[in-house]
């Protein structure tokens, strides 16, 4: 599987998940939960408590909104792709008014456009800015620091809500440094688990906003979930086995060391990009500075039938690639390079493309070779 | 572990959960999801679609409420114990007005009290009746058919929402026959999985109510989840590995046959009750006709220190029993006898009690023997 | 499964066995192998090296013989049951002359008979005495210390070869104290692993005997296997995954502590015997002092059809009991109580008997109760 | 791991091995054993019964010898490498007289040399010819059909014993067509299991030879093991969990289809050889027609320090390659391409070499590209 997520799960993590379920009210689980909530913080780049809900990343979106906003509140969404658009729709369905800053789906969120939108908001009606750190549908990373600077520059009070679902654990997330108010992730990407957990870091300002926010909330109320860092217990039954698996996944990340984890993702992404460039395939992300280290999306030629390409790759090589989503449906091929993955696996995936794509489109042979060169080998001779 | 849940998980189910995560957008997963959504129906006693959300049973409560009700709506809650009280609180936090029918925590919901409350509701303000089928905190099963009859008798239009978290899969649930509007369960009890799924059956009347209900809903919107029976896909990432595990769990239940599954739970419950009677221990449930087939709660003598008892049983025998919850905290001991459990396991658990309780309270020896007699053996001589 | 072996295997051990196979020539495996070979020694009661072969316990018999004896050598076999008789036959097939001391199959090996046989061996032709420490087919433990004393008393030079397959890990084995020359065991009993390893402790005298012994030997040559304690490598591919599982199993035994492990086996055996006495079932082992702590064999009435009894117990309760072997075929029922087993499991197994046997034979009800009393509970009232 | 064995084990096989051990005397196991013994036959290319012993491949050597030969018998060994030499030594230790036909370690067994040796055996003293079908230490496959023809040509009566440890399951083995008398394999190569089983196919002529052969035999006696095809039971405890795992492994091989399995191994081997040729690395096997489809051995330059190379590859890429054995120790690097392996994995392994080798020796960059071209891709442009 070479999806942008769910990612490959290490055997040790799968084994941990398959251990008999333990009592979620017992001391053993409390101790694991506390340790997990502590060790997640460096991944978020925060020293503050983190909340973990049973649910998907979409639940993380919902938790971020219902804990900080009131019905009818206006939010500003920087639309960088399918998932950003989905979050906008999610907010609308919760009764929020959503103003969308269109950035196209081929580049990162634009700090200038954000600044302009905030400047135009003379009535300070925008209560929150919503942005996807790493847009999985396009393979584009937005510069959250630059967006934060844009907000600061105009002195706007809006909260900054960040979807880091496909970046956290694979590239640096700096919740505190960015002064993000909520940073959201999910279990099935850089955390190398099956889907089933929504995780959030929350600023003090966001917690304070929650006190007056009045969207109905019960399941997604983060107060008791954030308290779990102390209490070791959750307000309702947690996804016990995933929490136990998360303990193992965090141990692996710590064993490798976060800087090494991030460097590995950068190196693998560079190799994929080198192959793409060699093959003369255009990426969805047109901005070289914003190309993602966790997922790469290739544009397919207009006449190439997808899902035919992906089906052929699956049948011939047993590899599942991601397809286009939303307005990119049928128009691109996405390669995940995040989680438990190494040089050899990424070269293997590129090999499937080099062997399989020519049936559908001309590519310049040698992309794998270019990837290997990018990985730093073949220096001699 | 002899908890009322999470229950013991069959090895085959744990192994299924630990299979590498598959693509939730691929045909293999779609096929599994459709089959699971089909085969869950007999467990709910419905021919209608069932929805499965990533989340806990508490999420099931929320889904039932936000899909059918509007802010400020009045609901009637039959308070039979800790979990019923929790659902009332959950409803309040979502902005509903909750009228509680106190039934004490030692018996089932009272159809007469329900009738009286509905009769008193001359303005037809009560939009829904909330009841817990099997109250896990007290070991009491309410007669949903009789409650339905009480509603019918007075011709009230309220929806009937049923929490079947600790009954479904262990005793008959008859969603269609009861004309329940929503029936809720979770993965970690009779379905023999780890926690992480909320599952609901929904009547046509409930779906129709959803069209005008205006509590904000997005994550818990059941429309696309119910459509998954057809589409094989979910609106956001599902808890893939649990769904795959559910496939195996449903196969096991089908292999044994639901009537045999229910008969087994009845037989084991009878054995536990026989032991309790022999030991001269009082049950929390004072109504013999309402004693639960999936969990039994024993009252502890006033002077017996819990969690001391449970801690001693855990240390000496490695068995985790449930403790009292809410107003029963420290006052009872709960034994689960649901899920993947047989005669020998239940006798083993009773043995731990027979060996361990005397340190704390007098019991009449021979309870295990009484349980064995109840199990139908020792007929000869 | 309530067999005398293979025993129940702890989940953690099964998981260890299922880890991907590692390179048996690499440093990681060498380190595990050395540690396993070190930590096995206390179980054998030896400070000397231990050898571990890929193979079954029968391979252990062969290794003991081919490493110490020459074609035509005479050995003395104390026949206490089916497995002792099997070893005699094995020795004959290797070309040894076997003198059998019949002790009947209802008691332990008799030191007096051994002494008499050795006294009669005026030509010192007997090169080795073969004895089964714990005869799995009859549930009888022989007193190896007393047998050693008998040999010493007459000053005979024969080697003492001990089969400890179903005792090691469940009851004390004292290779050095007994001055045993070879002590043999296998993986699937007290070591709580699947079958596939033969393990031996070897005295210096046995090693010396090996230098002149001339039975052909290659696979079973213990010299390089005993050297593995130092080298961390074996002369041919080892059963890698079982060795890795053995590491986990040894950790569990060490965690509980050998004295506690042995006390647990004694306690569970006492409970089984108490049930048998109460049921008025006769044991195969007629000598109360020699009843085994790891397996108990009940005689069936002459008119009771086995395997009918065992088949009924399997179908009704899913429990597999052992049947009679050799001349006891169809005449007894064997209950294993060794390995990863606790009070509740043994009471569960006895419950299956109390519920299932009356269909076939009269038993006095209350055996489980007697077992529980023996386990030390129900002291009050 | 990219060893010539143990090979990568499919997850499904690992999970099967980790299922709780079942009763090896019960009907469930008997049924599995019979089916396994039936479905192994096509892999051996035989319609005759196959024997499966708990033990390693070395045990298979021993079984082949002790079941067919007598002390002092002369055998002819075609020495093609380290494992062939090991078998010769094994035979000597069992008391056989071994005549070695030296073929060097850089090519296959030579039919001409075999013929000459047999012609010289005017007294018909050679009772068996021993040959390794696929020499794992050199990556060379001998042509057993041609060797058979050489024996026939001179009308010699010697038995033909074939070690197919690293060929069976990866390339065609034709026991019946070759009129091999014994064909030996082990679990940890093409059968994709952990080590722990020795497996043999036996001709009628070999069985007949066994009746007069008088090397001592008991554990390795094949008569009752061959009978297991009918009886479903073994003379002593089998390696239960590996047999259960073998059931799953055979299902996988059947699912892919043997012709497809063999074609895959050929295709992957061709890719490895294309890379080697491109890198200008010499193979140990100097005869292109005899290069193995399951393992390739590269010669290292004289001045390149191994195990330094392998250690560097392990540390940097986490890949374990095989080293040189015997007289090739430190002089070659062996790449396994057998078992559960596909295009992407093999390209991944080659990538590790292309990236890692330049630190130690000059290679011509582009070997991975050459391998990809060999795999049939990059046809366009």
């Amino acid at each position: 599987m070479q999806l942008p997520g769910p990612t490959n799960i290490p055997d040790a993590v799968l084994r941990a998940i398959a251990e008999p379920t333990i009592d979620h009210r017992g001391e053993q689980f409390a101790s694991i939960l506390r340790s997990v909530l502590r060790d997640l913080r460096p991944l978020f780049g925060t020293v503050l408590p983190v909340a973990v809900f049973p649910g998907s990343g979409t639940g993380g979106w919902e938790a971020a909104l219902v804990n900080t906003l009131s019905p009818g509140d206006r939010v500003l969404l920087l639309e960088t792709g399918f998932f950003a658009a989905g979050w906008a729709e999610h907010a609308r369905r919760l009764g929020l008014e959503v103003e969308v800053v269109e950035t196209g789906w081929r580049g990162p969120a634009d700090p200038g456009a954000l600044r302009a939108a905030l400047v135009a908001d003379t009535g300070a009606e925008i209560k929150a800015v919503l942005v996807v750190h790493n847009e999985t549908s396009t393979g584009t990373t937005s510069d959250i620091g630059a967006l934060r600077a844009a907000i600061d520059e105009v002195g706007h009070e809006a909260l900054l809500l960040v979807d880091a679902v496909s970046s956290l654990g694979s590239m640096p997330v700096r919740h505190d440094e960015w002064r993000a108010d909520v940073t959201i992730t999910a279990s099935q990407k850089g955390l190398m688990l099956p889907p089933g957990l929504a995780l959030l870091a929350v600023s003090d300002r966001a917690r304070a906003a929650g006190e007056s926010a009045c969207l109905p909330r019960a399941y997604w109320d983060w107060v008791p979930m954030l308290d779990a860092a102390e209490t070791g217990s959750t307000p309702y039954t947690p996804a016990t086995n995933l929490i136990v698996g998360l303990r193992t996944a965090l141990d692996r990340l710590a064993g490798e060391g976060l800087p090494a984890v991030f460097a590995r993702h950068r190196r693998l992404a560079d190799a994929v990009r080198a192959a793409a460039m060699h093959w003369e395939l255009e990426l969805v992300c047109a901005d070289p500075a914003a190309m993602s280290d966790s997922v790469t999306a290739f544009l397919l030629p207009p006449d190439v039938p997808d899902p035919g390409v992906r089906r052929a790759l699956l049948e011939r090589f047993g590899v599942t690639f991601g397809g286009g989503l939303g307005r990119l449906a049928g128009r691109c091929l996405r390669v995940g390079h995040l989680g438990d993955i190494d040089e050899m696996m990424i070269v293997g995936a590129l090999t499937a493309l080099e062997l399989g794509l020519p049936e559908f489109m001309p590519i310049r042979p040698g992309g794998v070779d270019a990837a290997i060169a990018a990985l730093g080998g073949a220096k001699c001779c």
Side-chain angles (χ1 to χ4, degrees), chain A:
Chain A
M1 195 156 64
Q2 206 65 35
L3 283 173
T7 52
N8 291 301
I9 301 177
D11 278 346
V13 172
L14 286 173
R15 275 195 297 271
I17 288 166
E19 291 190 26
T21 302
I22 59 175
D23 178 16
H24 64 273
R25 296 181 198 273
E27 190 43 50
Q28 185 190 1
F29 181 74
S31 161
I32 292 171
L33 180 60
R34 278 192 209 97
S35 80
V36 157
L37 293 174
R38 179 191 67 219
D39 295 343
L40 279 167
R41 297 184 193 189
L43 289 165
F44 278 96
T46 188
V47 299
L48 296 169
V50 168
V52 179
F53 292 90
S56 77
T58 298
W61 287 349
E62 184 151 322
L65 300 173
V66 300
N67 278 290
T68 57
L69 298 165
S70 299
D73 274 357
R74 172 180 288 260
V75 300
L76 187 73
L77 182 289
L78 308 179
E79 191 185 304
T80 47
F82 178 79
F83 288 99
W87 198 6
E89 177 59 21
H90 196 107
R92 269 182 220 109
R93 302 192 60 192
L94 289 174
L96 300 168
E97 199 175 329
V98 182
E99 178 181 338
V100 169
V101 177
E102 280 280 355
T103 64
W105 286 22
R106 301 207 46 196
D110 175 6
L114 170 59
R115 190 166 42 230
L118 293 177
V119 164
D121 178 36
T122 51
E125 286 186 17
I126 293 172
K127 300 303 179 200
V129 174
L130 279 54
V131 62
V132 172
H133 181 210
N134 188 68
E135 178 56 65
T136 319
S137 65
T138 65
T140 306
T141 307
S142 290
D143 180 345
I144 307 296
L147 297 169
R148 169 83 269 170
I151 299 172
D152 289 352
E153 212 172 312
V154 300
H156 200 286
E157 292 294 310
L159 297 169
L160 176 59
L161 313 187
V162 180
D163 170 331
V165 168
S166 62
S167 56
L168 190 135
S170 303
M171 49 186 98
V173 168
R174 312 185 193 281
H175 179 79
D176 290 354
E177 186 184 318
W178 293 335
R179 277 173 294 119
D181 291 298
V182 188
T183 301
I184 303 153
T185 198
S187 49
Q188 76 273 21
K189 310 264 179 175
L191 294 177
M192 306 182 295
L193 287 166
L197 296 178
L199 309 96
L200 297 92
V202 179
S203 74
D204 289 336
R205 200 162 154 252
R207 290 190 76 157
E211 283 162 30
S212 55
C214 60
L215 267 172
R217 62 177 177 271
Y219 186 88
W220 299 114
D221 185 1
W222 63 30
V223 173
M225 284 299 186
L226 291 164
D227 288 350
E230 297 290 329
T231 62
S233 82
T234 55
Y236 45 80
T237 311
T240 325
N241 290 44
L242 286 178
I243 300 284
V244 170
L246 181 51
R247 178 65 272 162
T248 298
L250 291 171
D251 289 343
R252 281 177 69 98
L253 290 168
E256 186 176 355
L258 283 189
V261 169
F262 299 152
R264 173 167 54 84
H265 281 84
R266 168 64 52 91
R267 191 165 65 245
L268 299 181
D270 282 341
V272 172
R273 294 188 279 256
M277 181 167 301
H278 187 93
W279 287 331
E280 299 173 347
L281 289 182
E282 196 177 353
L283 299 198
V284 173
C285 179
D287 178 350
M291 288 170 179
S292 166
D293 283 351
S294 63
V295 55
T296 296
F298 303 91
L299 280 176
L300 291 171
D303 60 333
V304 168
D306 194 60
V309 179
R310 288 187 298 129
R311 193 177 302 130
L313 292 166
L314 176 58
E315 275 167 22
R316 182 157 165 209
F317 303 102
V319 193
T320 304
F321 292 94
L325 296 169
R327 72 174 73 150
L328 288 166
R331 294 178 48 208
C332 70
L333 201 70
R334 295 179 302 131
V335 181
H337 31 83
L338 77 172
D340 183 41
I341 190 170
D342 64 19
E343 274 90 344
M344 287 163 295
M345 291 159 80
I346 207 68
V347 171
L350 295 173
T351 297
L353 293 175
E354 181 136 346
L355 289 173
L357 289 181
E359 185 186 338
F360 296 94
M361 67 189 84
I363 59 170
R364 188 154 65 105
V368 170
D369 216 39
I372 290 174
L375 288 170
K379 292 182 200 114
C380 67
C381 309

